[in-house]
Amino acid sequence: MAETRDESGAGAGHERPPGVGDTTVEAVGALTEALETVERARGHLYAFHQLTGHADLALDRAVELLRMAGHARQADLVQHEILGRNVIPGCWTYQVVEAYNSTYYQPFVDVEAGVRRDLVAGRRHLYEAEMKEARRTHGHLDHTPRP
């Protein structure tokens, strides 16, 4: 087992402020975990946006090939019915992304930051930092509390 000097605690920014109870740390951690899930959902929304855009651009080649193969009616159908079509009434994917960001994502980010500021002095990942401290092997080179 590799040994090194042990430094106790998670370090500045990851220590529980005085007077903050376990349930508060757990509650703020749960709120942050929910925001992290929203971050993942937002990433999927951007993937949807980009994939749909790439598909729409790929239709140009499909329309061209249909015309070259002598299928003008089908080329017209694709061009008029699908190419450039809204994904939901009145909206392309960028508008869906913008609406999500302004209506849901940014308010969530702002509320989570405000709750952290109000309850735990704005500190991030207190629950995880305390879990790390409880689970690490003190004195082990690969279990140090800080980088």
Side-chain angles (χ1 to χ4, degrees):
M1 177 167 110
E3 297 290 331
T4 186
R5 116 182 125 89
D6 193 54
E7 302 171 28
S8 295
H14 289 106
E15 294 167 340
R16 184 187 297 213
V20 174
D22 291 346
T23 305
T24 298
V25 169
E26 187 174 354
V28 172
L31 178 61
T32 299
E33 181 180 14
L35 175 59
E36 290 169 355
T37 301
V38 166
E39 294 282 5
R40 289 177 55 207
R42 185 170 177 248
H44 289 291
L45 184 59
Y46 274 90
F48 157 75
H49 163 58
Q50 292 176 349
L51 290 169
T52 302
H54 287 290
D56 191 70
L57 292 174
L59 290 175
D60 292 335
R61 180 77 174 139
V63 168
E64 176 187 357
L65 290 170
L66 285 167
R67 289 195 196 290
M68 286 173 53
H71 306 294
R73 185 176 63 78
Q74 288 82 3
D76 287 345
L77 178 67
V78 171
Q79 184 173 4
H80 296 296
E81 292 298 321
I82 306 301
L83 191 114
R85 186 180 185 96
N86 291 330
V87 296
I88 61 173
C91 295
W92 271 22
T93 59
Y94 77 91
Q95 292 165 305
V96 174
V97 168
E98 287 177 359
Y100 181 85
N101 282 341
S102 63
T103 303
Y104 188 76
Y105 174 73
Q106 194 58 56
F108 201 136
V109 168
D110 295 343
V111 166
E112 187 271 347
V115 169
R116 273 189 303 100
R117 185 178 54 252
D118 292 347
L119 300 180
V120 294
R123 295 184 180 152
R124 299 178 185 270
H125 297 107
L126 289 179
Y127 187 82
E128 290 91 337
E130 291 179 3
M131 183 188 307
K132 177 182 179 178
E133 184 62 20
R135 294 177 62 86
R136 73 185 186 88
T137 302
H138 291 257
H140 190 288
L141 179 63
D142 292 322
H143 289 239
T144 56
R146 295 183 292 281

